[in-house]
Amino acid sequence: MKQFGNLAIVCAGRPDIVMTTQDGMVFVRSKVTGDTMSAPWDSDKKIERIIREVNFGAFGERRGA
């Protein structure tokens, strides 16, 4: 299964994240910082890294801040 769908689900639950697609690429942008990550829509490894960043890394939700 492609990770693209998992990324869409993760981003859908985050009002501070915008996910777009264009020309075979997926882009994820933080509304807070303006930072953007991108990957080809079918690159599971790169999209898994983006999912990890959205959940736990640079784009992770800041609880209690």
Side-chain angles (χ1 to χ4, degrees), residues 2 12 15 18 21 23-24 27 32-33 38-41 43-44 46-48 52 54 56 60-61 65:
K2 292 293 178 192
V18 176
T21 59
D23 298 325
F27 300 90
V32 176
T33 65
S38 63
W41 77 271
S43 177
D44 287 341
K46 289 182 180 180
I47 291 176
E48 285 174 2
R52 200 168 26 257
V54 169
F56 309 111
E61 287 184 285

Side-chain angles (χ1 to χ4, degrees), residues 2-65:
K2 292 293 178 192
Q3 291 299 319
F4 179 82
N6 291 333
L7 179 61
I9 291 167
V10 168
C11 291
R14 294 281 305 276
D16 59 324
I17 299 289
V18 176
M19 179 181 138
T20 58
T21 59
Q22 182 177 352
D23 298 325
M25 296 288 290
V26 58
F27 300 90
V28 176
R29 182 178 57 86
S30 167
K31 290 182 183 178
V32 176
T33 65
D35 293 338
T36 302
M37 294 181 284
S38 63
W41 77 271
D42 58 352
S43 177
D44 287 341
K45 286 188 179 200
K46 289 182 180 180
I47 291 176
E48 285 174 2
R49 283 188 223 126
I50 293 173
I51 291 170
R52 200 168 26 257
E53 288 297 324
V54 169
N55 283 330
F56 309 111
F59 287 26
E61 287 184 285
R62 305 292 184 236
R63 288 175 172 66

